[in-house]
Amino acid sequence: MHDVLSPINTGMIDFHDLWFINFNIDWPESRIDGHFHKIHVNLEGNGTAMTLIETRERCNNETWAFEEYKSAKVLASKHLPGNMYAYKIAKGNSKLIQEFIEKYELKL
């Protein structure tokens, strides 16, 4: 039986960013078995949603963006487990994310 994703919180940067999280997925036939899974639900055009989409697109298509964002995430991971807010802020220091913060006028 699969666990149901349940709403846990709104995003730390934008309260319109709804999070649905499953902390321990029990799905043996899937590569996500035993892992944390988070789904974001946003309104179309929302800055947080656009940041997620553009980060994915840029990292898939631009080597520098992938490497820079990966490095920021690895560095930020020192805050985990435990302090998700500090992790998000540290990850936000990425040059790529700073570009989106300015573009979409996001507030940290």
Side-chain angles (χ1 to χ4, degrees):
M1 173 118 188
H2 302 279
D3 292 333
V4 176
L5 294 174
S6 58
I8 189 165
N9 207 344
T10 59
M12 296 175 184
I13 297 172
D14 186 340
F15 71 90
H16 290 107
D17 178 18
L18 302 178
W19 293 2
F20 292 81
I21 297 178
N22 185 326
F23 288 100
N24 190 13
I25 296 173
D26 181 20
W27 196 350
E29 66 275 12
S30 171
R31 66 186 178 98
I32 63 172
D33 182 50
H35 293 278
F36 170 96
H37 190 230
K38 176 171 62 172
I39 296 174
H40 292 265
V41 177
N42 283 282
L43 299 172
E44 185 176 351
N46 173 277
T48 301
M50 296 307 297
T51 297
L52 290 167
I53 292 166
E54 288 192 48
T55 299
R56 180 196 65 210
E57 293 303 312
R58 298 274 296 275
C59 287
N60 283 338
N61 295 303
E62 300 175 29
T63 303
W64 79 265
F66 175 80
E67 293 299 332
E68 195 272 337
Y69 186 59
K70 178 178 79 172
S71 294
K73 287 184 71 158
V74 168
L75 186 61
S77 70
K78 69 181 180 186
H79 298 289
L80 298 175
N83 193 338
M84 181 64 84
Y85 185 74
Y87 167 75
K88 292 287 189 181
I89 294 300
K91 189 173 70 164
N93 290 326
S94 158
K95 179 181 173 187
L96 183 65
I97 300 302
Q98 286 297 314
E99 180 182 321
F100 299 134
I101 288 170
E102 185 176 317
K103 180 177 181 179
Y104 295 111
E105 301 177 355
L106 299 173
K107 307 288 186 245
L108 294 180

